[in-house]
Amino acid sequence: MAIPTILLVDDEKEIIDMLAIYLKNEGYQLLRASDGMEALQVLQKEEVDLIVLDIMMPKMDGIEACFKIREQKNMPIIMLSAKSQDMDKIWGLSSGADDYMSKPFNPLELIARIKSQLRRYTRLNVPHVNKDHELEVDDLTINTQTHEVKLEGKEIKLTPREFAILELLVRNRGMVWSSEKLYETIWKEAYYDSDNTVMVHIRKIREKIEPNPRNPRFIKTVWGVGYKVE
């Protein structure tokens, strides 16, 4: 998957520089513009996946720029403004923005909103090809035809056995699978109580797909029973 490119549009250099640090740490590619006119010029030359657009700028403000962008482009736009009145938010969203944040803001919250908008945009614009072969749990996607696993669009490398276990649990969401049943289904041989093979494989899968393996989002342990994906 291509690395998303984000266009930052703001006449306050300090804000652009600060956001650039956070976004680069997340692995995004960045483009910059200091006003709406410059942003339009950048969009004529570059492919952009998301725009962070300030409202109050010289030459062309964010509202006018957003209207002009929406005439040709449909990527997510997050508006920024020092104003927090409801009418300003309404104007921003009515001009075609997907989200709105008032200054001052928490950069980590903006990063979270950027990720959310990119996930939504990616899902809505994925060609409807091989959808019958895709399983999804929140932002985890499993392609049973290509044996690809992606988390937030980033590919996760699993071994064939790890993939088989994950696919089985996701296909049967809500169903609890004991270690014995998992082993006999995946390995197709008799299970022995002393065998911790399944536990080891579950741990390895969690290390790869869980942001916090100690508090898993996807593969849950039902103590004394087995494992499930909710």
Side-chain angles (χ1 to χ4, degrees), residues 161-220:
R161 285 270 163 77
E162 290 167 356
F163 183 92
I165 292 172
L166 182 61
E167 179 186 353
L168 182 65
L169 292 173
V170 171
R171 280 192 183 280
N172 297 275
R173 291 179 66 170
M175 180 176 174
V176 181
W177 289 74
S178 66
S179 293
E180 178 180 359
K181 192 171 182 181
L182 274 172
Y183 186 89
E184 292 180 348
T185 302
I186 301 298
W187 275 264
K188 303 188 184 304
E189 49 185 65
Y191 173 84
Y192 298 96
D193 288 339
S194 60
D195 195 332
N196 65 354
T197 300
V198 171
M199 181 182 68
V200 170
H201 277 71
I202 292 290
R203 175 172 56 79
K204 289 182 177 178
I205 296 170
R206 282 174 170 163
E207 288 173 353
K208 294 178 180 180
I209 70 170
E210 301 284 2
N212 181 5
R214 294 179 179 273
N215 184 25
R217 289 174 51 201
F218 301 110
I219 301 179
K220 303 286 189 179

Side-chain angles (χ1 to χ4, degrees), residues 146-159:
T146 63
H147 277 223
E148 291 179 317
V149 176
K150 293 183 179 180
L151 179 63
E152 295 184 353
K154 297 179 181 178
E155 188 171 358
I156 305 294
K157 296 293 186 181
L158 298 183
T159 67

Side-chain angles (χ1 to χ4, degrees), residues 36-53:
M37 290 182 64
E38 189 178 344
L40 294 175
Q41 292 170 0
V42 171
L43 290 172
Q44 290 178 354
K45 303 174 184 177
E46 306 285 350
E47 289 294 327
V48 173
D49 298 291
L50 181 142
I51 303 173
V52 177
L53 180 64

Side-chain angles (χ1 to χ4, degrees), residues 128-145:
H128 296 288
V129 178
N130 291 334
K131 277 296 184 180
D132 292 342
H133 304 289
E134 287 191 357
L135 305 172
E136 291 187 354
V137 182
D138 296 331
D139 46 12
L140 181 71
T141 304
I142 302 166
N143 189 311
T144 59
Q145 186 177 58

Side-chain angles (χ1 to χ4, degrees), residues 102-114:
S102 299
K103 296 178 180 178
F105 55 86
N106 184 332
L108 295 178
E109 181 182 353
L110 178 59
I111 297 299
R113 294 193 186 200
I114 286 172

Side-chain angles (χ1 to χ4, degrees), residues 9-28:
V9 189
D10 199 312
D11 60 326
E12 296 184 60
K13 185 176 182 300
E14 296 80 6
I15 290 180
I16 293 286
D17 290 342
M18 179 267 292
L19 289 178
I21 293 171
Y22 282 90
L23 292 168
K24 285 180 179 177
N25 285 340
E26 294 292 332
Y28 297 119

